């Protein structure tokens, strides 16, 4: 007898498998990774086969059999990876497995399947019947005539000659045609951005980088990989360090082609895919049929079919955002992480995995080479990975000069743009060129108050201020779904003199349009890019315009390349510095440097303006000199002194609940329990209060650990015990390993 060990797909933390089932003789194709529907008490659940065994601890009569097997399951090595993620990020096996299953294999609802269609072709007997004047109905004859020109699908036949399924069946019974059900591919549409398929001759530095990667590919499990905590010796890994426009994407493409030549597949991770339509278009153009793309903006059917194409080996390169690290690419030879500093590689929900860490684990397990590329490396990559340098822009142009504009001296009444910035924009208009303006807040203005009584509009559910969205005439909370109509008068004193303060993308858009007309202004933020395809289409419009300004949030700093841009300006460079977070400097540096990279890509050269209240901060100062090595040296020294990553590991425990005193005492109790369980060389800070969101009060515990594995294990054990405690049921406890 064969036993299937099945992990149920459920959201309940307490329900933990695997559970044993008997393998029915009729389901002998089941293997590790198969998805089955199983009886579970009175219910039916989906589950994943995580192990095959000969014997069970349970007596045979207590073993049930699966009811059915779904069409597709995950490969065995990905089942292992999913379970590893669950352990490493203190999540449940079910949530870990969910990441590696075919898209649409939900815990509830309908599961996605292949779409099939009936296709018919004419047989020799059919040809003979047509010419031999055999007795045929009108529709039957029309169908045979249509098919004599070539194979057709049932819907096509119905549309062409009105032959329905019954007519086809009769023809088939008479042996005149053959029909088969064939899988239909739901193919994701291209973005409309065109990219050249031509392969340029690589520059010497690019060649060197590709050679190093190729050598590592040929060496398979080379010994030179760094040792990573929780992962062990990793596969050969590289940091491809090059300013924007230095030809990194060409190196990725050549490396992918080298992997394909060796019969191996590749995964290319890009920041949230909406943000990189140009990169995706380039990969699609170069790789043709072997290219697959996986991301959340695809329909469920498209995602499922792309996944199946990878699983079957029909496609062997997957491009996608963080979740593509779980793509079922066969014989994986290469993982590329583009813009490796990007925060979107960290998942916010449970499991809060970091795709960069998972990529290292997966590369190590499959003997694949890892290439992380960026202009602004993370301190951890700078410290740990051997570097491949692309020091110059491909076109030989120098990086644009960066002018720091000190906003402390500016008159606050003159608005969000400094006179110097206006002057530079006027010059862009005069020259018929293009500019990019970035402000890190969407909406019109972040602050609405009553002039007479001082009433301030805040979110009723969160301790934050409501943001004015003038375009939709609403006040919106950016932390929860709260929306209300923009007021005409104060609810406290009925005064109609309300004052708006601060600026967001909508306001800057308006100011620019007023002053720079008739130059067109395009706004790109998550409001204008919400519709499917809107992101790419806004970029395309900006690209096609003769001249113009692109204004928006961080989105405008990513994943595009417009040679006519001669000015980029960032209006609130230090907004990120105000967050109380050890990564604030790193993030600010990356943001300023990335935006700087968008300017001066063409013959007209370019410049960058950085408006800041903190011109002396290390991140802004180094970014203005395009000096990542200098910044990283200082930043690593600071982290070493403060014992922050990469010199320690952080684990955060987040608690939230509606009842504040209960939350507070639970947080204190959890902190005490954790202090007892943690290894002695780790420190626990907190509980610290966080601002209320969605009517939930929040507390945070932060653990600085030297020994990652022992710390994670201790936290997991304690949190699981607490999660099972019924008296704490209304509290939510989440663990974030390596928080961002
Ligand atoms: P990055 O990814 O570092 O920003 P890209 O690979 O996008 O750089 O290259 C910037 C531009 O230079 C692109 O338009 C690309 O097609 C072009 N390019 C890259 N490498 C070469 C090369 N060896 N010869 C000519 N053009 C190149
Ligand atoms: Zn008032
Ligand atoms: Zn809110």
């Amino acid at each position: 007898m064969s036993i299937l060990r099945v992990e149920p797909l459920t959201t309940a933390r307490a329900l933990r498998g695997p559970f044993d089932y008997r393998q029915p003789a009729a389901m002998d194709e089941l293997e590790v990774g198969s998805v089955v529907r199983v009886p579970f008490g009175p219910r039916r659940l989906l589950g994943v086969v995580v192990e095959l065994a000969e014997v069970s601890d349970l007596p045979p009569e207590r073993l049930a059999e699966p009811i059915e097997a779904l069409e597709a399951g995950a490969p065995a090595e990905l089942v292992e990876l999913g379970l590893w993620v669950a352990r490493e990020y203190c999540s449940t096996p079910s949530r870990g497995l969910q990441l590696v299953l075919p898209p649409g294999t939900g815990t509830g609802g309908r599961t996605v399947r292949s779409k099939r269609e009936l296709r018919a072709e004419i047989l020799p007997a059919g040809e003979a019947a047509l010419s031999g004047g055999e007795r045929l109905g009108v529709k039957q004859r029309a169908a045979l005539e249509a098919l004599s020109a070539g194979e057709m699908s049932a819907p096509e036949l119905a549309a062409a000659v009105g032959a329905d399924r019954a007519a086809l069946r009769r023809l088939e019974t008479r042996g005149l045609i053959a029909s088969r059900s064939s899988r239909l591919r739901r193919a994701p549409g291209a973005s409309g951005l065109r990219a050249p398929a031509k392969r340029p001759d690589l520059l010497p530095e690019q060649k060197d980088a590709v050679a190093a990667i190729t050598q590592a590919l040929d060496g398979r499990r080379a010994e030179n990989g760094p040792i990573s905590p929780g992962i062990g010796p990793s596969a050969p890994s590289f940091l491809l360090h090059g300013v924007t426009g230095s030809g990194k994407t060409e190196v990725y493409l050549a490396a992918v082609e080298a992997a394909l030549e060796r019969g191996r597949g590749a995964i290319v991770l890009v920041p949230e895919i909406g943000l990189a339509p140009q990169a995706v278009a380039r990969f699609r153009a170069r790789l043709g049929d072997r290219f697959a793309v996986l991301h959340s903006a695809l329909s469920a059917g498209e995602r499922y079919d792309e996944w199946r194409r990878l699983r079957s080996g029909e496609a062997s390169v997957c491009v996608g955002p963080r979740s593509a690290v779980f793509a079922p690419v066969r014989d994986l030879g290469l993982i590329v992480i583009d813009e490796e500093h990007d925060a979107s590689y960290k998942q916010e929900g449970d499991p809060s995995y970091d795709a960069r860490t998972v990529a290292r684990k997966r590369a190590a397990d499959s003997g694949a080479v890892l290439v992380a590329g960026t202009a602004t490396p993370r301190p951890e990559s700078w410290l740990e990975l051997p570097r491949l340098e692309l020091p110059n822009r491909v076109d030989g142009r120098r990086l644009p000069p960066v002018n720091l504009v000190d906003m402390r001296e500016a008159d606050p009444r003159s608005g969000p743009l400094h006179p110097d910035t206006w002057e530079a924009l006027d010059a862009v208009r005069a020259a018929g060129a293009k500019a990019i303006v970035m402000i890190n807040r969407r909406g019109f203005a972040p602050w609405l108050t009553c002039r007479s009584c001082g009433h301030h509009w805040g979110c009723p559910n969160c301790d934050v201020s409501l943001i004015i969205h003038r375009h939709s005439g609403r006040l919106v909370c950016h932390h929860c779904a709260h929306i209300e109509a923009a007021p005409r008068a104060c609810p406290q004193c009925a005064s109609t003199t309300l004052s708006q303060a601060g600026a967001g993308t909508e306001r800057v858009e308006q100011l620019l349009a007023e002053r720079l007309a008739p130059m067109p202004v395009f706004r790109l933020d998550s409001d204008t890019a919400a519709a499917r395809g809107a992101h790419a289409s806004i970029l395309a419009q900006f690209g096609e315009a003769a001249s113009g300004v692109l204004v928006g949030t961080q989105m405008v700093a990513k994943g595009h390349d417009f040679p006519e841009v001669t000015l980029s300006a960032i209006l609130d460079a230090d907004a990120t510095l105000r967050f109380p977070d050890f990564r604030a400097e790193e993030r600010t540096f990356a943001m300023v440097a990335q935006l700087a990279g968008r300017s001066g890509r063409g013959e007209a050269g370019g410049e960058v303006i950085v408006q800041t209240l903190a011109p002396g901060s290390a991140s802004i100062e180094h970014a203005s000199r395009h000096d990542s090595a200098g910044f990283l040296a200082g930043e690593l020294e600071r982290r070493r002194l403060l014992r922050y990553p990469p010199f320690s590991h952080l684990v955060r425990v987040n608690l939230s609940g509606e009842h504040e005193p209960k939350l507070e005492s639970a947080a204190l109790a959890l902190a005490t329990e954790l202090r007892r369980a943690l290894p002695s060389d780790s420190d626990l800070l907190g509980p610290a209060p966080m601002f209320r969101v969605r009517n939930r009060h929040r507390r945070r515990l932060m653990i600085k650990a030297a020994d990652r594995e022992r710390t994670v294990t201790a936290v997991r054990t304690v949190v699981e015990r607490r999660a099972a405690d019924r008296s704490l049921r209304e509290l939510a406890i989440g663990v974030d390993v390596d928080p961002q």
Side-chain angles (χ1 to χ4, degrees), residues 329-539:
V329 171
R330 295 187 150 210
D331 200 3
L332 186 65
L334 175 73
I335 305 183
V336 170
I337 308 173
D338 186 25
E339 310 286 6
E340 70 101 24
H341 62 278
D342 195 274
S344 72
Y345 287 122
K346 183 72 163 50
Q347 159 117 328
E348 298 278 339
D350 180 15
S352 53
Y353 70 88
D354 189 323
R356 295 162 291 204
T357 310
V358 179
R360 276 168 88 161
K361 168 70 175 165
R362 187 159 180 202
D365 288 351
S366 46
V369 178
L370 186 85
V371 179
T374 177
T376 54
R378 292 182 297 158
E380 24 295 59
S381 313
W382 190 254
L383 187 71
E384 288 163 13
L385 302 182
R387 283 172 225 154
L388 307 170
E389 298 276 355
L390 301 179
N392 304 307
R393 281 191 165 183
V394 170
D395 48 25
R397 295 204 175 85
R398 289 169 15 113
L399 285 161
V402 176
N403 306 311
L404 296 184
V405 172
D406 190 343
M407 291 301 276
R408 290 173 305 186
E409 292 156 12
D411 179 354
R413 282 168 305 179
S414 68
L417 284 87
H418 192 276
D420 291 358
T421 312
W422 278 123
E423 204 173 294
L425 283 163
D426 289 339
V428 168
R429 183 182 54 175
K434 292 184 186 176
I436 295 179
V437 175
M438 175 173 141
I439 174 156
N440 233 326
R441 182 186 293 114
R442 62 200 171 84
F444 189 82
W447 199 257
L448 181 65
T449 49
C450 168
R451 284 238 177 116
S452 329
C453 77
H455 173 71
H456 164 244
W457 274 261
C459 177
N461 311 318
C462 314
D463 295 333
V464 297
S465 143
L466 289 172
I467 314 289
I468 306 160
H469 283 242
R470 179 145 318 155
H471 190 71
S472 59
R474 288 163 158 173
L475 299 182
V476 178
C477 173
H478 286 184
H479 289 269
C480 74
H482 180 82
I483 289 176
E484 57 190 67
R488 286 177 197 288
C490 174
Q492 308 270 351
C493 74
S495 159
T496 52
T497 43
L498 308 180
S499 102
Q500 306 176 337
T505 50
E506 282 187 8
R507 170 134 185 252
V508 174
E509 176 192 24
Q510 190 184 55
L511 292 170
L512 292 170
E514 278 165 14
R515 166 137 173 188
L516 299 176
M519 186 156 78
V521 178
F522 306 91
R523 173 158 61 95
L524 181 63
D525 56 27
S526 54
D527 295 320
T528 61
R532 200 172 162 184
H535 182 269
S537 116
I538 294 167
L539 285 181

